[in-house]
Amino acid sequence: MMIEQTEPATPTRERPDAPVTTPGKVGEHTERADGVPKVKGEFEYSSDLWMDGMLWGATLRSPHPHANIWSIDTAEAEEMPGVQAVLTHEDVPGRKVYGMEVPDQPVLAWERVRYQGEAVAIVAADHPETARRALEKISVQYEVLDPLTDPEEAMKEDAPRLHLSGNVLKRINILHGDVAEASASADVVVSGEYEVGMQDQAFLGPESGLAVPDGQGGVDLYISTQWLHLDRDQVADSLGLDPEQVRLTLSGVGGAFGGREDLSMQIHACLLALETGRPVKMAYNREESFFGHVHRHPAKMRYEHGATRDGELLYVKARLVFDGGAYASSSIAVCTNAATFACGPYEVPNARIESHMLYTNNPPCGAMRGFGAVQVCFAHEAQMDKLANELGMDPLELRIKNAVRPGIRFPFGQEVPPPAPVRVILERVGDMPLPEEEEVMGRDLRRLPGGVSNVTHGEGVRRGVGYAVGYKNIGFSAGFDDYSTARVTLSIEEGEPLVRIHTAAAEVGQGLITVEAQIARTELGVERVAVLQADTRVGSAGSTSASRQTYMTGAAVKQACEQVRARIFQKVREEYADEDLAIEDGDIVSGGESVVSLAELLGGEEIEETVEFHHRETEPLDERGQGNAHLQFAFAAHRAVVEVDTELGLVRVVEVATAQDVGKAMNPQALEGQIEGGIAQGLGLALLEEIQIKEGKIQNASFTDYLIPTILDMPSVRAEILELADPEAPYGLKGAGEPPTIASTPAIVAALRDATGRELARVPVKPEQIVGIAEKPPSEPPQPGSRGYSGIGHLDEREEH
Amino acid sequence: MEFHSPDSWREALEVKAAQPEAVAIFGGTDVMVDLNFDRERPGAVLDLTRVPELGEWGEGDGRLRVGAGVTYTRIISELGSELPGLAMASRTVGSPQIRNRGTVGGNLGTASPAGDALPPLYVSDAEVELASTNGTRRVPVVEFITGPKRNAMRPDELIAAFHIPRAEGPQQYAKIGTRNAMVIAVCAFGLALRPERKRVGACLGSAAPTPVRAREAEEFIESVLDWDSRGEIGDTELRRFGELVGEAASPISDVRGTAAYRTHAVGVLARRTLGWAWDEYRRGE
């Protein structure tokens, strides 16, 4: 569906010319056009947006995870010099709630707040500091309620209901084969309980954007997001406007990883802009960003695996409990994903999986790279190691023995489509040479656990090796009509052919715009390509998530190019030749002979085609959790080598080796970036990254205490890329962004277990666990031992009135 | 907010005398964080980066006088052989950019128990030189730091320098962080051997409300070490030293680590660093 847009009467920001890039075809190392500007600090991120006369917006957030709101008094804030608007829920003209799956989240809270950091009021002022000061003048009368923070508690009948619909947001049961019978015949049974902490996307560019009123009741929004059209529809709904009156343009995105699927300041900035009639910029700071987007779901998972004595899996039982936090976000899809991938890429003839998603008063959780597959992979891979140990079998051999292969069925009933090279990628990581063991004594500190902190010169250091394999779906699943739109225009500019590509697909750093240009060069034989800034003047491209854009928007661009090419060949046939036509370097070639140049053929004419590409239909799961739910599956295996200071619990990851099937390496350079970046994020979850919550409150909303890996923590990566074409996909490609994150975490933890012999059933693994000191929750507010950063008392300290 | 940027020490002291509430800033690695997080809203800021005297260091009467504005980068490159323990600690501070800005003076002013530069100052009995328009005074660092983020500075004073003996023997600094770079200490340990006096300095960082000297551990190991024949330390003695250092800790549990882990880890660091320092001494380095 394409919605025609009308240009605003007064153009609000000058539309910059899209840069023309050369060269690089599909499969060639192609440099990204935004690489150098980003490194030099010249790239315009959404937080750099600026317009003369613009106002600054700020958000008042709830200091409480759970409270009734009795009153909101904005009078004092409105009277402050420089303040242009103070808005509450009463000022939301349209739908007062939003949400991708369930519209359950207030644009601005009324009556009740359900998590710490929930937006209550917004301010626009002529200086950002004035706006922040004005927030303190808004008086909100809260009645503080006990927060419901444990999903198991939330599940109970007598738990307080956080939403009218109850606390159970989603429940999926997968019933496959006969588990009772299988468990009676199992020779070996292993069970375990596993836990994954709340990871953050930790994108470096905070939530930010600029809303500009058009003077006719509509608004233009320049924004960093993952899906322009879904944002537009939600913004328009809440503003009470037609979608045509809300135009979105993608601005520079500083990372996303799922954290920009939900709205943050989009509606707020537009409300303030329409109220004041002036452009309004909003940009969260780092601390606010931790409250401004959803996180990865924490999970508690109980597993039981049964197998024969020779290592053949007979059944898997799993009970998965996810903390969805206060609002739905994309939790329903995460719950489904986790259930379907709960057994891993193994042939499991009998399975009983329960997946529960609960509302609590913790921060809302939603999409993050790996989307439900990450949590279960940590658990099923720990189980496979446990089973191998019980059987006295090599962990890699056990995995290879049970690897899925095309033709069998996953526990959710879908047939495994070819290619499904799980066995091959496991063998590849097994065959790669191990990094040489380097004498520990006398090493450069940077190559020891603890790095330059000088904690060991080799004492207590032991090496470990671990393996893991994981998989997930590519593209949107379960019956969703997933599509992307591309417009391709071929014209002659300054005597040379030029292809313009226009889509609404969000480039979030992954390199999509480079791939789009490579596709056009490949299909149209033209060197010069300009990819226009993504905006809502063209149809939806769907979300930049589920590793789907290269597949979906790539296919749309490819088909649009093919249609343009067909029209060119039509013209050539009419006037020149009709045999064996091709376009090479801007010339039409027939049977190897140049016939006419594109420049001559087209003259002043433009050829334009717009294509909407829909992927094959999928089905929702039935009541037994069965269905052809997913479009495509991507697999990656990892081997981690670690060195652990067993006495201090500090770790150096020596190397991560991986084998991944990508179908087609569209841009090998960008692929390398995805693989290394995904592994870094997996390493972060294994060792460092957790939003710590106490009674519903975030304890570490800063990069001082939410630690992400540095270059010293990140090992070298050895990658083997398999290109086994998927016959249904454009160029045979498979989505490549998420798989590196999925199995890297369990591989690292398996290596830690190998080095220490400890169970390590929770990630991130803390030094305390490695050295076997019982963990205690923080018992008092951090004072000594910190500079007070971890107090993050900003929100708490804001006075209540 | 008033912003003062004097270009002489005299002028800086006059500003501070006139406006004792003015917050001194040098590298800004603490002050700017507080401002950005809206924890501090000082009425006046006193920028000391243009005061040339603060960036100087020199030697006299066997002690070094290091200006409060000497950065960590300069301590590593210029004072590595004179103050090896402090240089090791400086290497663990933040990132290269932070080390280019941050100063020991700032660590003293902030008085955080996690200040990396503090244990090396404690183990060498350093003194802090404070100045005001009324004159200067020198305060032992152990008396200067009075509590978490509290120090003995009077409102009209500024930190001019610290005085510290050139290393008399091997020194060590080790710090626990859950990440291998750019991390605030979970706990830390500084050690100095002073063979001429047959003394050992041992100080815990980030394991109590202030850095603390492990006096019992020091006395124990001083009585055990064979300074003259430079004999080996027994494993039992090393372990006992580690235990006594652990006993000197009074840590808390927080987002960075548990109290039990801090106590354990600082003991391990003590044992290992003593072993390294003693080996160095035995080799006659």
Side-chain angles (χ1 to χ4, degrees), chain A residues 52 154 194 266 285 358 430 465 498 500 575 658 710:
Chain A
D52 287 338
Y194 305 94
Q266 283 89 329
N285 65 20
L358 278 302
V465 181
L498 174 72
R500 286 197 182 81
E575 298 176 41
T658 182
T710 69

Side-chain angles (χ1 to χ4, degrees), chain A residues 147-165:
Chain A
L148 182 59
T149 58
D150 180 351
E152 291 284 357
E153 290 294 317
M155 219 181 285
K156 290 182 179 163
E157 285 287 310
D158 57 349
R161 288 157 79 91
L162 300 181
H163 291 268
L164 286 174
S165 56

Side-chain angles (χ1 to χ4, degrees), chain A residues 497-519:
Chain A
L498 174 72
V499 178
R500 286 197 182 81
I501 302 173
H502 190 187
T503 80
E507 163 69 49
V508 301
Q510 83 278 37
L512 178 70
I513 53 175
T514 314
V515 167
E516 290 174 29
Q518 289 174 274
I519 291 172

Side-chain angles (χ1 to χ4, degrees), chain A residues 133 136 450 453-455 457 459 645 647-648 651 688 692 704-705 707-708 713 768 784-787 790, chain B residues 30 41 88 113 149 172-175 178-180 184 206 209 252 255-258 260-261 264 271-272 276:
Chain A
R133 295 284 184 272
E136 294 168 16
S453 293
N454 186 40
V455 296
H457 295 173
E459 296 88 342
D645 183 332
E647 209 176 0
L648 288 173
V651 176
L688 300 167
Q692 299 186 43
T704 304
D705 282 315
L707 298 180
I708 55 178
D713 300 277
E768 279 90 341
S786 79
R787 291 188 171 116
S790 51
Chain B
D30 283 334
R41 289 182 192 172
M88 289 167 102
K149 304 187 103 174
Q172 281 291 336
Y173 181 82
K175 149 174 154 182
T178 43
R179 182 164 74 180
N180 290 340
I184 291 182
S206 212
I252 53 146
V255 291
R256 296 186 190 130
T258 59
Y261 176 74
H264 162 81
R271 164 159 50 84
R272 288 183 183 175
W276 303 334

Side-chain angles (χ1 to χ4, degrees), chain A residues 129 132-133 136 285-287 448-461 645-653 687-688 692 699-710 712-713 766-768 771 773-790 792-794 797, chain B residues 29-31 33-41 72 88 91-94 99 107 110 112-116 148-150 171-186 206-210 239 250-262 264-266 268-269 271-273 276:
Chain A
E129 206 50 40
R132 282 211 271 175
R133 295 284 184 272
E136 294 168 16
N285 65 20
R286 178 57 55 199
E287 182 189 34
L448 282 166
V452 290
S453 293
N454 186 40
V455 296
T456 176
H457 295 173
E459 296 88 342
V461 176
D645 183 332
T646 51
E647 209 176 0
L648 288 173
L650 302 180
V651 176
R652 171 193 173 226
V653 180
L687 298 173
L688 300 167
Q692 299 186 43
Q699 306 293 300
N700 55 338
S702 76
F703 280 164
T704 304
D705 282 315
Y706 183 90
L707 298 180
I708 55 178
T710 69
L712 259 193
D713 300 277
K766 294 180 180 164
E768 279 90 341
V771 300
I773 293 178
E775 279 180 60
K776 278 180 281 179
S779 55
E780 46 199 303
Q783 246 301 321
S786 79
R787 291 188 171 116
Y789 298 165
S790 51
I792 304 304
H794 191 64
E797 282 160 19
Chain B
T29 60
D30 283 334
V31 174
V33 172
D34 282 346
L35 291 181
N36 287 336
F37 275 72
D38 219 6
R39 287 195 203 103
E40 294 283 342
R41 289 182 192 172
Y72 294 112
M88 289 167 102
R91 256 178 234 120
T92 75
V93 173
R99 294 193 288 275
N107 245 198
T110 299
S112 160
D116 286 309
K149 304 187 103 174
R150 289 200 299 276
Q171 298 185 342
Q172 281 291 336
Y173 181 82
K175 149 174 154 182
I176 301 280
T178 43
R179 182 164 74 180
N180 290 340
M182 288 178 63
V183 70
I184 291 182
V186 172
S206 212
T210 67
R239 287 191 180 275
S250 48
I252 53 146
S253 293
D254 66 11
V255 291
R256 296 186 190 130
T258 59
Y261 176 74
R262 287 189 157 107
H264 162 81
V266 81
V268 174
L269 295 183
R271 164 159 50 84
R272 288 183 183 175
T273 53
W276 303 334

Side-chain angles (χ1 to χ4, degrees), chain B residues 67-79:
Chain B
V70 175
T71 63
Y72 294 112
T73 299
R74 287 184 58 206
I75 286 176
I76 297 164
S77 61
E78 298 171 27
L79 289 162

